[in-house]
Amino acid sequence: MKTLRLLLGDQLNINHSWFNDNDPNNLYVMMEVKDETSYVKHHVQKILGIFAAMRNFDAELKQRNFSTLYLTISDPQNKHSFIENLRWIIKKYTIKKIEYQEPDEYRLDNLFSSFSKLLHIQVQPFSSEHFYTTRQCVMNFFEDKKQWRMEYFYRNMRKKHNVLMDNNSKPLGGKWNYDADNRKSWKGKPDASIDLRPSHNLENIFNEISQEKINFFGKCDYKNFRWPINRAESLELLESFIRTNLIYFGDYQDAMHDKNWFLFHSFLSFALNTKMISPMEVVERTEKAYEEYALPLSSVEGFIRQILGWREYIRGIYWSAMPGYEKNNYFNHQRSLAKWFWSGNTNMNCLANSINQSLDQAYAHHIQRLMVIGNFALLAGIKPEEIHQWYLGIYIDAFEWVELPNTLGMSQFADGGQLASKPYVSSASYINKMSNYCKSCHYDSKVKIGDKACPFNSLYWNFFETHKDKLATNQRLGIVYNQLKRMDSEQKKQLVDQSQIYLKNIDFI
Ligand code: FAD
Ligand code: DLZ
Ligand code: SF4
């Protein structure tokens, strides 16, 4: 009996138990399909990175003598949909059973679980053996709680997996969280980090996707493609990050700078999300490095929190809320994306920097995504679904299970606060404190009214004024609403009017 084992572009886990032994009756199938490139418009680097990593994975399986079938995007047999391809493969190879690893995206999970009905074949799902938690863990952990605070889940994960704990089951250093130490701006010292990512010539794949008329956007120097596309490179990237940047990760985690676009971040999200490397490996190696290189606990804890805490928690939110989470729109925001989201062509220097960088690199770090781009989108009342699709397409690491809760929940508060205790918004003062963007901006971060007024300032107050019925009772916003209450009505009117000028001219600000 022949069994088809289906693998997706983000299921490149060579340590999966599927590969522990080699049964010649198993046929491993991977396919580059137009259906998967077109559900949103994708950044060219995301498509190239996924295809290159898939091809490398197939080559590795072949080298280990596994029997594989790989459909490239330009293969004449390729029907460009999972179902249509499976139909002819089942016939041609007299397949009797399909096995698959649980997809991380609801759309595909739903499709795959109907394979037996659609293809009249025996079907068996397997775990992807990648995450610490199951899909239900976070949901079970919070049970009937109204708000699901990451911090409690994270502490539980630390205890459960014995990460950064002392011998008395207390957190190492006495504190669970060193977030308060992670808020320095970067002023040119310590020296900027070097981009230690690998380099590849992906001209062939670029030519193929161009000939196949795949709809993509963004820039790519495809002869110098800078993302890891196999496991060895992913492990090397982890090592180089630990050797050079982890030491400063904690201090400068929230900083932004126009001359140092990735600061001390790890670039590991693509390798992690495609499963070339596992979260356990990253966490265990980081914990070991804490002693090996006498690294600051605030950096090590801060980094581990992102992976052991946030990443698993976000995934749990996704599975607890799908389907339907993508339709959340707590504030009923309906504005379309400004045109410059696709060009970076705006006078607002923070947004021009963050968006141009995203278009050039398919990457922005967390604070650029949250406190510049997401902040503006929320203050401007952009439709959450549109901003979600933009994030899902533009970032190399964007897969719906992680992108959607981050965008709709954390960044846009579109779930009404299940994930975040208050909206992550700020006026210009935060951006000015954490970056050097304001120094060379057309607008003045200190000014609220007039031609030179930074749009973030009036939009900020307009947002809280507009949504006071939904937000004024939020205890964490007490200070904001007290300030708003103390503002005289003329001042408030001026701010609201100023914000309306910007909103009416959103494509040109
Ligand atoms: P580092 O800063 O070096 O962090 C290390 C790792 O921690 C990351 O590789 C990532 O795996 C994990 N991590 C950190 N923050 C988060 C988080 N909030 N949620 C889940 N994992 C986290 N991350 C994605 O992987 N894919 C996305 O599509 C994505 N979309 C986002 C959208 C918005 C609006 C926001 C605010 C954040 C989003 N993030 C997403 C989280 C975070 O911005 C990225 O994980 C990070 O910027 C990736 O760069 P890095 O690998 O250099 O991360
Ligand atoms: C994102 C993506 C793209 C662009 N192309 C493919 C593909 O051709 N074949 C494939 O198996 N997977 C691809 N992916 C990833 C999936 O669309 C999907 O986002 C993830 O599998 C969900 O976790
Ligand atoms: Fe951004 Fe305003 Fe600063 Fe300009 S002044 S960079 S728009 S925060």
Side-chain angles (χ1 to χ4, degrees), residues 209-475:
I209 64 169
S210 304
Q211 271 151 21
E212 291 301 319
K213 303 209 167 12
I214 303 297
N215 193 9
F216 54 73
F217 72 103
K219 285 201 191 135
C220 184
D221 177 2
Y222 48 78
K223 291 190 177 167
N224 182 25
F225 180 85
R226 297 302 308 272
W227 293 94
I229 52 175
N230 59 45
R231 180 169 161 76
E233 288 175 357
S234 306
L235 289 168
E236 182 44 41
L237 187 61
L238 170 63
E239 280 307 314
S240 58
F241 166 70
I242 283 175
R243 276 197 312 270
T244 57
N245 286 354
L246 178 56
I247 184 170
Y248 304 121
F249 179 86
D251 278 355
Y252 302 104
Q253 200 177 327
D254 290 358
M256 298 173 282
H257 200 280
D258 62 0
K259 300 280 179 303
N260 193 358
W261 59 277
F262 56 92
L263 280 138
F264 304 100
H265 291 271
S266 72
F267 283 135
L268 280 168
S269 49
F270 178 67
L272 275 163
N273 295 351
T274 49
K275 306 185 180 62
M276 294 188 287
I277 193 168
S278 83
M280 296 83 168
E281 283 173 307
V282 177
V283 167
E284 281 163 24
R285 181 67 191 100
T286 307
E287 192 178 13
K288 213 166 135 230
Y290 169 57
E291 285 180 7
E292 199 176 326
Y293 299 113
L295 292 166
L297 185 54
S298 61
S299 277
V300 170
E301 185 282 317
F303 185 68
I304 285 180
R305 185 178 349 118
Q306 308 309 316
I307 293 163
L308 185 66
W310 279 110
R311 191 167 182 267
E312 299 286 326
Y313 165 82
I314 286 285
R315 174 169 180 263
I317 296 271
Y318 181 77
W319 284 109
S320 75
M322 289 301 284
Y325 196 74
E326 75 286 3
K327 296 274 176 259
N328 274 318
N329 189 354
Y330 184 63
F331 297 121
N332 192 25
H333 282 164
Q334 298 297 339
R335 194 177 305 282
S336 289
L337 275 184
K339 291 204 176 72
W340 41 261
F341 270 80
W342 303 103
S343 68
N345 195 4
T346 164
N347 288 323
M348 291 181 284
N349 196 35
C350 53
L351 279 153
N353 253 276
S354 303
I355 290 178
N356 277 314
Q357 179 194 310
S358 304
L359 291 165
D360 292 353
Q361 309 287 352
Y363 178 89
H365 73 65
H366 189 67
I367 295 301
Q368 294 174 306
R369 294 186 206 197
L370 186 66
M371 294 310 294
V372 177
I373 304 172
N375 185 6
F376 181 85
L378 179 52
L379 293 180
I382 288 172
K383 200 175 177 183
E385 203 175 346
E386 277 198 33
I387 191 81
H388 147 57
Q389 288 175 353
W390 184 84
Y391 275 97
L392 185 57
I394 198 166
Y395 293 115
I396 188 131
D397 55 30
F399 296 90
E400 197 185 76
W401 66 268
V402 52
E403 177 278 328
L404 185 67
N406 267 303
T407 306
L408 251 66
M410 188 186 306
S411 161
Q412 299 301 296
F413 206 76
D415 62 3
Q418 183 187 356
L419 201 152
S421 55
K422 66 178 172 98
Y424 278 103
V425 286
S426 77
S427 63
S429 64
Y430 175 85
I431 297 173
N432 190 30
K433 190 173 125 216
M434 295 313 298
S435 77
N436 70 340
Y437 294 147
C438 301
K439 287 202 173 79
S440 43
C441 185
H442 165 85
Y443 296 105
D444 187 331
S445 67
K446 306 266 182 324
V447 179
K448 295 190 179 81
I449 310 291
D451 287 353
K452 284 284 169 190
C454 167
F456 277 90
N457 293 334
S458 53
L459 288 172
Y460 177 82
W461 290 112
N462 177 61
F463 170 80
F464 284 112
E465 174 63 13
T466 309
H467 298 300
K468 59 183 173 221
D469 53 332
K470 291 197 163 115
L471 297 175
T473 52
N474 182 322
Q475 288 185 345

Side-chain angles (χ1 to χ4, degrees), residues 31-71:
M31 33 180 124
E32 298 169 3
V33 286
K34 288 185 182 168
D35 272 8
E36 294 306 303
T37 63
S38 61
Y39 55 81
V40 289
K41 199 170 171 190
H42 280 100
H43 195 292
V44 58
Q45 292 191 37
K46 184 173 173 193
I47 298 174
L48 290 180
I50 290 175
F51 287 5
M54 285 171 75
R55 290 180 187 197
N56 278 341
F57 195 77
D58 177 63
E60 182 162 4
L61 290 182
K62 283 192 169 82
Q63 201 205 346
R64 295 186 186 197
N65 291 322
F66 287 99
S67 156
T68 78
L69 173 69
Y70 192 93
L71 289 176

